Amino acid sequence: MAIWFIFALMTGLAIGAVLWPLSRRAPAPAGQVDERAFYEQRLAEINRDAGSGYISAIEADAARAEAARRLLRESRSAPMGLADGESEYALRRRRAASAIALSTIPLVTLAIYGAVGSPDLGSLTIAERRARPVAQADAGDLVARMERHLAAKPDDGAGWELLAPVYLRMGRPDDAVKAWASVLKLRGETPARLASYGEALVASSNGVVESFARELFERAAKGDPAAPMPKFYLAVALAQDGDMDGARKAFEALLKSAPPDAPWRAAVEARIEGLQRQAMAKDIASAPAEAQQAAIAGMVQGLAERLKANPDNPEGWRTLVRSYVVLGRKTEAGAALADGVRALGARPDEAARLEAFARELGVHPKTP
Amino acid sequence: MIVEIGHYALVLALALSVIQTVLPFWGARARDASLMGIGPVAAVGVFICVAIAFGALTWAYVTSDFTVRNVVENSHSLKPLLFRITGLWGNHEGSMLLWVLVVALFGALLAVARNMAPGVLRADALAVQGLISVAFLTFIISVSNPFARLVAPPAEGQDLNPILQDIGLAIHPPLLYIGYVGFSLVFAFAAAALIGGRIDAIWARAVRPWCLIAWAFLTLGIAMGSYWAYYELGWGGFWFWDPVENASFMPWLSGTALLHSILVMEKRDALKVWTILLAILTFSLSLLGAFLVRSGVLTSVHAFATDPGRGLFILAILVFFIGGGFALFAWRAPLLKTGGLFAPVSREGALVVNNLLLATACATVFIGTLYPLALEGLTGDKISVGPPFYDATFVPLAMALLLLIPFGQALAWKRGDLAGAVSRLLFVMGLSIVACLAIVFMQHGGPVLAVIGLWLGIFVFVGGVNEILSRSWKRGASLSVVLRRAAGLPRSAWGAAVAHAGVGVCVIGLAAQAWSIETLASVRPGQPLAVGPYEVVLTDSFSRQVANYREDVARFHVLQGGAIIRTVDASKRFFPARNTSTTEAGISTIGLGQVYVALGDAGEHGLGVRLYWKPWVLLIWIGAVIAAIGGALSFSDRRLRVGAPTRGRRKQPAAKDATAMATVAAQ
């Protein structure tokens, strides 16, 4: 609130300053620079130069004559004097000018500042940040503390190893790459470090496994044949090279070897599903038009059945509704929406999202 | 909160500059003193507001407030205080804020200087200056706002481009901007004269100080930039005819021409329309420089951020002011009364030649800068226009100009006497030739061009000294009388003489570079290398952690005749925040020359180094500083300039006299 008071004060001062010259009746004529004053100055200079002997008497005479000629010429084209400050016109003009100043300054300022400013956002200087107790510090603060420590002691390999995975989680893959490179240099290679370094490299090249990263994964896999991460990325690399079958086999083998509660199962399953979808899309694209329609309809049918069997899948319901809309089957889209909302009943936020999504596509729930 | 107060002040400055543009302009048309009186108040208000904004952003930089995006992108909490402050204008948004601060500063100075210009002219000039503020403030607030905030601030900034982490950044941009933007006020005066339809010696007198101050700062800014490039880039060069350098050099050339033509106008009432044209041209070239540097058309250390939207906006500002300026000129200039006449051989005539040569030189630089860009835009071919082009075009023009400086100074106003001028300069010519030959003899010869350049530099320098001497020395006068007379000369005369002598000093330094020596070698500790009259030995190398960078230092001893006379450190710095390195040349000044050591890579044969011995190299920048001091001296002289005319010989009839003069219409 205080900030708005300061803004009001600043605006008020600005308006007051602009109105001040308008309030004065007769502006001081001091400092007028006109032809006559200029002529007199010029004569004084000529006299001074002549007096100190820098120009001869003849030159001084010539200069004086010239100055007089110029005064004559210029006073003939002199501008009109200033208008009478007290006339009716002048008063009206001043009122108009005051109105312009009074309206323009606050309106322009508020409109523009309202659009670009963020008056509610406080400052957070580095001193305030460092003074915050650890409990309040965010991950960024801790990282910054670590970075300061490492800038002073860049040979602290353990520090880099602590920081590197944090970088990756914070979405700073380039820094993670640098950190892992330092770890490898300072603490030596292990299969796990090689794989993490490779993972950071993949993240920094937007998910593409480049040849250097691939080499790292191969070395990591050789060092620890049981580790899943190198195998995963090597499979990704296979898919990148266009070896879809090989990639799928590699992923499936990985899935088979996975313990049932492994957190990375979902990622592998998603990859396999993606590969299957790609393969199917390729099949459909190469089929004749009618067969294509049939294949798509079949896929939609398949999805509908999968959802019936396993209804807790919001993404699946949205896909199903969209598919029906794309195929032009409005009634079925409505039915699917109603089914989906009912199926997601236990999760009201997801149900609401599905409804909102359907509304955007122009689908309204219909009970079958 | 402080940051938002600054942000609000910036927006308030925009509103006030709209008032500064509209109301005084209206007042000037209606001849209403109250309305015209708003101009100065609003101009001061704009300056205060922009200064608050600038101060708030500085505070954010100093305290490393990373809720401001601009601070995150260009600062780092470990940076030394000076570079945290200068980082403000080491980036696009901040440098535009500095630009506007200087625009507002000049507006405020004009507002405070009450007795300098007639009321209507001042009101119109303030209105035009206000319009310039409006354009740039709109640009800043809409597409390059330095006050953009972050809701989730990062804990550390991304640091500033390491090349810019240098004392040079504290000095070079402010000087250069005062120079560039100073010409905006001259432009505002020119536009005001065209709007008011009146131009005379009063106008010239009002404009002169602004032009001088802008010119002096631009001179210093360019010289400082050149010295910075010299020691920071590690190539041993100080001028590369790089488009960005040219962008600052073009306004300097046309500004120099403008300076001289304003002088003619104040003293002799001549060259009026040409002066107005030059004023518009100079500011146009300043804007063009800003556009070239800021739009991303060029890539260099100066192009902080390339964003086509911004480039387009600056292009629009450019088109508006340049197009508007020339349109106003085309519309109103024919209405202006032309002034005095003069003979071709006269001080005025010499200054016309000076102007033509400077304008042509400026045109060659313009072509050399823009032709490659235009060609690339049209055909996609990349060509580079380098020193050979400028050696063939610019250098001869500059030499002709230098040759004429002492002659011009020796000519009288209105009607000159060439034979008399030459005879007065015989002594100067003789002295400079002797001095030049003596130097060349000691150096055992040198390239012809360099010898000529050296002579020209000495000639101009001695000519400058002679100008004071010839005006204060009289046959038979005692030394004390001469000194008293010299001290009594107007400061404007001193200013001109000092500035010309400074140009001479600079040219001597430039020409002397033909005798510089370059050595490339790989060295091991203790192994001496000869460079010119000295030997350089690598003695030690070590690493250290300084503030926000690590530094590998190589320490050298400079020996003369076996004795150590200097120790010099050259280094490579690594900045982890930006993952970049810079090289710091080791420079040791011996007399006016410098030993320059730049590090290469360490190989199996030792450490790669490039060594230079650059005799008299400091004269280049000392000359520029002297020239700027000359400008300041002239600026400090508030007296009217009077150019006493030489009368025609009485014996000739008036009509014949007129034809004999071969009158030059003072356009």
Side-chain angles (χ1 to χ4, degrees), chain B residues 522-529 535-542 553-559 568 570 597 599 606-609:
Chain B
S522 293
V523 292
R524 293 186 186 289
Q527 177 190 339
L529 261 182
E535 286 190 320
V536 173
V537 184
L538 174 65
T539 57
D540 192 10
S541 54
F542 52 91
V553 185
R555 179 159 289 172
F556 296 86
H557 281 160
V558 182
L559 300 105
V568 56
V597 186
L599 294 186
L607 182 64
V609 290

Side-chain angles (χ1 to χ4, degrees), chain B residues 358-450:
Chain B
L358 279 168
T360 317
C362 185
T364 63
V365 179
F366 186 82
I367 291 167
T369 310
L370 290 193
Y371 177 69
L373 294 176
L375 194 70
E376 195 186 333
L378 291 174
T379 66
D381 294 341
K382 274 185 195 267
I383 60 163
S384 88
V385 172
F389 169 80
Y390 297 100
D391 284 349
T393 54
F394 179 82
V395 171
L397 287 166
M399 286 185 147
L401 185 64
L402 291 168
L403 184 66
L404 281 176
I405 290 177
F407 287 101
Q409 285 176 298
L411 286 170
W413 291 106
K414 200 161 181 182
R415 293 171 191 79
D417 173 11
L418 195 57
V422 171
S423 73
R424 276 193 293 282
L425 285 173
L426 275 180
F427 173 69
V428 173
M429 277 195 271
L431 187 67
S432 58
I433 289 171
V434 169
C436 176
L437 285 179
I439 293 167
V440 172
F441 178 74
M442 282 192 293
Q443 292 291 338
H444 310 293
V448 177
L449 202 65

Side-chain angles (χ1 to χ4, degrees), chain B residues 3 15 58 156 166 203 231 234 282 294 301 322 334 345 362 366 377 424 453 503 516 530 540 542 568 630 655:
Chain B
V3 173
T58 309
E156 194 46 271
D166 188 278
W203 183 89
Y231 74 70
T282 304
R294 290 275 159 270
V301 273
I322 298 181
V345 177
C362 185
F366 186 82
R424 276 193 293 282
V503 171
S516 67
D540 192 10
F542 52 91
V568 56

Side-chain angles (χ1 to χ4, degrees), chain B residues 157-373:
Chain B
Q158 296 162 5
D159 210 349
L160 179 70
N161 181 353
I163 288 184
L164 300 177
Q165 292 191 27
D166 188 278
I167 182 78
L169 184 65
I171 305 170
H172 168 61
L175 290 178
L176 202 62
Y177 278 15
I178 291 174
Y180 270 157
V181 175
F183 284 118
S184 77
L185 196 54
V186 181
F187 170 83
F189 266 107
L194 289 170
I195 292 166
R198 266 179 73 80
I199 178 161
D200 47 31
I202 300 179
W203 183 89
R205 189 183 181 217
V207 173
R208 189 227 310 146
W210 306 112
C211 188
L212 275 170
I213 203 165
W215 180 86
F217 274 99
L218 192 57
T219 306
L220 287 176
I222 293 173
M224 182 61 222
S226 142
Y227 190 65
W228 188 11
Y230 167 74
Y231 74 70
E232 181 72 34
L233 297 180
W235 305 333
F238 42 83
W239 191 262
F240 304 98
W241 294 109
D242 167 273
V244 176
E245 289 173 328
N246 291 348
S248 64
F249 194 45
M250 287 188 280
W252 187 86
L253 287 170
S254 71
T256 309
L258 176 65
L259 200 66
H260 289 90
S261 74
I262 285 181
L263 194 82
V264 175
M265 196 164 138
E266 179 178 351
K267 286 190 171 178
R268 305 292 314 148
D269 224 20
L271 298 186
K272 288 176 175 177
V273 178
W274 169 245
T275 303
I276 295 280
L277 184 64
L278 270 182
I280 296 174
L281 201 63
T282 304
F283 183 57
S284 302
L285 289 169
S286 296
L287 283 179
L288 182 73
F291 168 69
L292 285 181
V293 176
R294 290 275 159 270
S295 63
V297 172
L298 302 172
T299 34
S300 78
V301 273
H302 297 81
F304 303 124
T306 53
D307 176 346
R310 287 170 182 171
L312 217 57
F313 203 122
I314 296 195
L315 188 65
I317 295 178
L318 191 80
V319 168
F320 177 75
F321 282 105
I322 298 181
F326 282 113
L328 197 62
F329 181 79
W331 174 38
R332 303 286 290 187
L335 305 178
L336 296 175
K337 280 203 186 63
T338 54
L341 306 177
F342 53 84
V345 177
S346 62
R347 184 79 73 93
E348 291 100 316
L351 286 167
V352 168
V353 176
N354 146 309
N355 269 230
L356 290 177
L357 284 172
L358 279 168
T360 317
C362 185
T364 63
V365 179
F366 186 82
I367 291 167
T369 310
L370 290 193
Y371 177 69
L373 294 176

Side-chain angles (χ1 to χ4, degrees), chain A residues 56-133:
Chain A
S56 67
I58 302 170
E59 281 176 326
D61 281 343
R64 276 191 209 104
E66 202 173 60
R69 274 202 302 280
R70 272 194 226 167
L71 173 68
L72 265 178
R73 195 168 63 227
E74 275 157 20
S75 52
R76 248 181 268 138
S77 60
M80 333 168 251
L82 293 178
D84 179 11
E86 302 303 320
S87 72
E88 180 63 29
Y89 267 135
L91 283 177
R92 257 193 259 164
R93 199 160 44 225
R94 279 186 216 175
R95 259 180 232 134
S98 312
I100 291 174
L102 265 171
S103 56
T104 306
I105 294 176
L107 286 181
V108 167
T109 312
L110 281 178
I112 296 177
Y113 182 78
V116 299
S118 14
D120 306 324
L121 210 57
S123 305
L124 183 60
T125 64
I126 202 82
E128 289 165 2
R129 206 179 240 289
R130 284 183 194 159
R132 283 198 297 190

Side-chain angles (χ1 to χ4, degrees), chain B residues 361-661:
Chain B
C362 185
T364 63
V365 179
F366 186 82
I367 291 167
T369 310
L370 290 193
Y371 177 69
L373 294 176
L375 194 70
E376 195 186 333
L378 291 174
T379 66
D381 294 341
K382 274 185 195 267
I383 60 163
S384 88
V385 172
F389 169 80
Y390 297 100
D391 284 349
T393 54
F394 179 82
V395 171
L397 287 166
M399 286 185 147
L401 185 64
L402 291 168
L403 184 66
L404 281 176
I405 290 177
F407 287 101
Q409 285 176 298
L411 286 170
W413 291 106
K414 200 161 181 182
R415 293 171 191 79
D417 173 11
L418 195 57
V422 171
S423 73
R424 276 193 293 282
L425 285 173
L426 275 180
F427 173 69
V428 173
M429 277 195 271
L431 187 67
S432 58
I433 289 171
V434 169
C436 176
L437 285 179
I439 293 167
V440 172
F441 178 74
M442 282 192 293
Q443 292 291 338
H444 310 293
V448 177
L449 202 65
V451 176
I452 297 174
L454 189 65
W455 172 69
L456 276 172
I458 300 173
F459 181 53
V460 172
F461 175 74
V462 179
V465 175
N466 178 57
E467 193 177 344
I468 294 298
L469 276 183
S470 67
R471 289 181 70 170
S472 48
W473 183 76
K474 272 198 176 136
R475 195 177 292 275
S478 72
L479 185 65
S480 67
V481 172
V482 172
L483 284 180
R484 205 169 55 240
R485 281 175 60 89
L489 282 175
R491 280 200 300 280
S492 59
W494 272 100
V498 168
H500 289 148
V503 171
V505 169
C506 178
V507 171
I508 294 171
L510 288 170
Q513 294 322 298
W515 285 276
S516 67
I517 287 163
E518 180 179 354
T519 311
L520 270 158
S522 293
V523 292
R524 293 186 186 289
Q527 177 190 339
L529 261 182
V531 55
Y534 306 100
E535 286 190 320
V536 173
V537 184
L538 174 65
T539 57
D540 192 10
S541 54
F542 52 91
S543 296
R544 62 186 170 200
Q545 173 76 30
V546 188
N548 53 339
Y549 59 89
R550 284 190 70 73
E551 189 173 43
D552 294 325
V553 185
R555 179 159 289 172
F556 296 86
H557 281 160
V558 182
L559 300 105
Q560 187 176 27
I564 298 170
I565 53 168
R566 294 280 194 288
T567 302
V568 56
D569 286 350
S571 64
K572 282 191 168 180
R573 292 175 181 172
F574 176 72
F575 292 74
R578 286 246 174 165
N579 199 21
T580 42
S581 311
T582 63
T583 55
E584 301 291 311
I587 297 176
S588 173
T589 304
I590 304 168
L592 291 170
Q594 288 186 329
V595 171
Y596 185 110
V597 186
L599 294 186
D601 294 319
E604 51 184 290
H605 301 295
L607 182 64
V609 290
R610 252 196 334 246
L611 288 174
Y612 301 89
W613 161 242
K614 295 184 163 288
W616 289 4
V617 70
L618 279 183
L619 287 184
I620 298 172
W621 301 292
I622 292 175
V625 172
I626 294 174
I629 290 172
L633 269 178
S634 192
F635 170 79
S636 73
D637 188 354
R638 299 290 307 119
R639 290 168 51 190
L640 210 60
R641 308 316 201 233
V642 178
T646 310
R647 288 210 163 166
R649 284 181 288 276
R650 290 281 162 80
K651 282 172 269 176
Q652 290 176 332
K656 209 176 164 194
D657 184 30
T659 46
M661 271 169 63

Side-chain angles (χ1 to χ4, degrees), chain A residues 171-197:
Chain A
R172 291 167 65 181
D174 293 341
D175 291 320
V177 168
K178 271 185 269 171
W180 278 118
S182 308
V183 172
L184 286 172
K185 201 172 69 189
L186 296 166
R187 306 194 84 187
E189 293 181 3
T190 66
R193 284 181 193 142
L194 285 170
S196 299
Y197 186 24

